[in-house]
Amino acid sequence: MEGATVRLLRGGALLRRNFPICLSSWKNPPHVLKSSQSEAGLKTTNKGLPYAPLQTFTDEEMMIKSTVKKFAEEQIAPLVSKMDENSKMEKSVIRGLFQQGMGSFCLSETGAGSDSFALKTKADKKGNYYVINGSKMWISNAKDAGLFVVMANVDLTLGYKGITCFLVDRDTEGLHIGKPENKMGIRASSTCPLTFENVKVPEANILGQIGHGYKYAIGGLNESRIGIAAQMLGLAQGCFDYTIPYIKEREQFGKRIFDFQGLQHQVAHMATQLEAARLLTYNAARLLEAGRPFIKESSMAKYYASEIAGLTTGKCIEWMGGIGYTKNYPVEKYFRDAKIGTIYEGTSNIQLNTIAKRIDSEY
């Protein structure tokens, strides 16, 4: 459902979102807890080979982290509640994130969800242009996108090997953008159906090679799953970091609720799972960065981080009690936003299928 154009933004989820201590408004700028601080630089061994914990960032990565954090705190955080309530991304945020315009990736259809290559949208060649007919579903940012990256089949008899990637401008005649879905979470990002009625696209607007669209889609999904893992990790960590100070201050039966051993065990369990998700995510990212095989690891990271995000946010609501269930504080929004992680860019079951296939080929 997510577009390729927002992968860079998802990568920013590696930088954990932290909020003020208990009962502070979630619109205030966040502060960084000790547990979320990272060190810059790589130490070297006697032979000059780099080694460092996976959480260690280079100077360049630290600079990027600082820039993204500043933008998130100053430009996005004050508008989060409003955008969620209005189901609309503010224009200032769009301008800040997408200076060259926003695009949407169009793959899914009514009958082509997890089985994405069963798509029926067709592109018929007419001279030096193609005519596209069909429909797409769950297209992220469609309401605001100026360009659509559309997967259509130039020859249905070839199956998935006929899938080709087309660039379609928003104002192209015959392209109709439907009403945004009324979603549970990630509400600021519009998700709309698209209809193509005799949409004429110049042959020059083919992205890459004819019939290679499925390769581009697979490659993009394999990489973007690391971004989803990072997104879910950041979401879960932000929720955890917001909740812990509250349960350390909230008192019941004459002592902090954090001091109850039953709750301590739950916190320890969640913290361990968060750290495991972080290491899986960072490992997949480093493998991709190094040009090494990463498909199994990206699926593991995406699967585990998205599952843990749901568990963590659910527990945080329970730990905060009644106020965690209200919209005055961000925990319930974290919970709503977390669910999509197990669905888009490949469901959890699809990730398990991918992992199993890789294991099968390794032994």
Side-chain angles (χ1 to χ4, degrees), residues 22-236:
C22 66
L23 297 185
S24 57
S25 170
W26 66 316
K27 298 179 183 179
N28 291 337
H31 76 284
V32 179
L33 302 181
K34 292 181 180 179
S35 63
S36 67
Q37 295 175 350
S38 302
E39 296 181 359
L42 295 174
K43 298 180 180 179
T44 58
T45 64
N46 317 354
K47 299 180 181 179
L49 299 176
Y51 71 90
L54 285 173
Q55 303 98 315
T56 302
F57 296 151
T58 64
D59 290 338
E60 182 181 16
E61 289 168 338
M62 289 295 289
M63 180 182 67
I64 295 172
K65 174 179 178 177
S66 176
T67 302
V68 172
K69 177 185 174 184
K70 185 174 187 292
F71 181 82
E73 290 180 354
E74 297 179 359
Q75 304 297 323
I76 297 181
L79 300 173
V80 167
S81 181
K82 177 182 178 182
M83 291 191 292
D84 180 68
E85 183 177 349
N86 296 336
S87 298
K88 181 180 179 181
M89 195 175 296
E90 289 291 310
K91 291 183 178 180
S92 62
V93 173
I94 296 175
R95 288 194 299 268
L97 293 174
F98 308 100
Q99 294 181 2
Q100 297 182 9
M102 184 186 293
S104 287
F105 182 65
C106 308
L107 176 63
S108 297
E109 299 181 3
T110 303
S114 292
D115 186 11
S116 55
F117 295 150
L119 62 87
K120 299 301 182 183
T121 297
K122 190 176 180 182
D124 294 314
K125 195 173 191 311
K126 304 288 184 180
N128 62 350
Y129 62 88
Y130 283 80
V131 178
I132 301 178
N133 283 283
S135 62
K136 297 292 180 180
M137 289 287 292
W138 316 117
I139 306 306
S140 294
N141 300 316
K143 188 177 179 180
D144 302 299
L147 182 70
F148 295 91
V149 181
V150 181
M151 294 294 175
N153 202 315
V154 299
D155 187 348
L156 292 174
T157 64
L158 296 176
Y160 68 89
K161 291 187 177 180
I163 297 175
T164 303
C165 187
F166 295 87
L167 299 179
V168 181
D169 187 82
R170 178 188 186 87
D171 298 323
T172 305
E173 185 177 357
L175 170 60
H176 305 288
I177 302 171
K179 181 181 178 181
E181 302 288 349
N182 186 14
K183 304 193 303 293
M184 171 183 174
I186 58 168
R187 295 180 59 84
S189 170
S190 63
T191 303
C192 309
L194 300 183
T195 303
F196 300 85
E197 294 183 359
N198 296 319
V199 175
K200 294 176 64 174
V201 180
E203 190 172 7
N205 280 29
I206 291 177
L207 183 62
Q209 300 181 46
I210 295 175
H212 283 207
Y214 74 97
K215 293 183 179 180
Y216 307 144
I218 291 174
L221 289 170
N222 286 336
E223 292 187 14
S224 66
R225 284 166 182 162
I226 302 174
I228 297 297
Q231 180 190 43
M232 292 296 109
L233 170 61
L235 185 156

Side-chain angles (χ1 to χ4, degrees), residues 312-334:
T312 301
T313 54
K315 279 297 180 184
C316 285
I317 289 178
E318 293 177 17
W319 297 343
M320 290 190 69
I323 65 168
Y325 198 65
T326 70
K327 289 183 177 292
N328 295 326
Y329 304 96
V331 180
E332 65 84 31
K333 182 181 185 301
Y334 282 126

Side-chain angles (χ1 to χ4, degrees), residues 274-286:
L274 280 172
E275 191 64 16
R278 186 173 359 270
L279 296 177
L280 282 169
T281 302
Y282 283 23
N283 180 57
R286 295 303 186 195

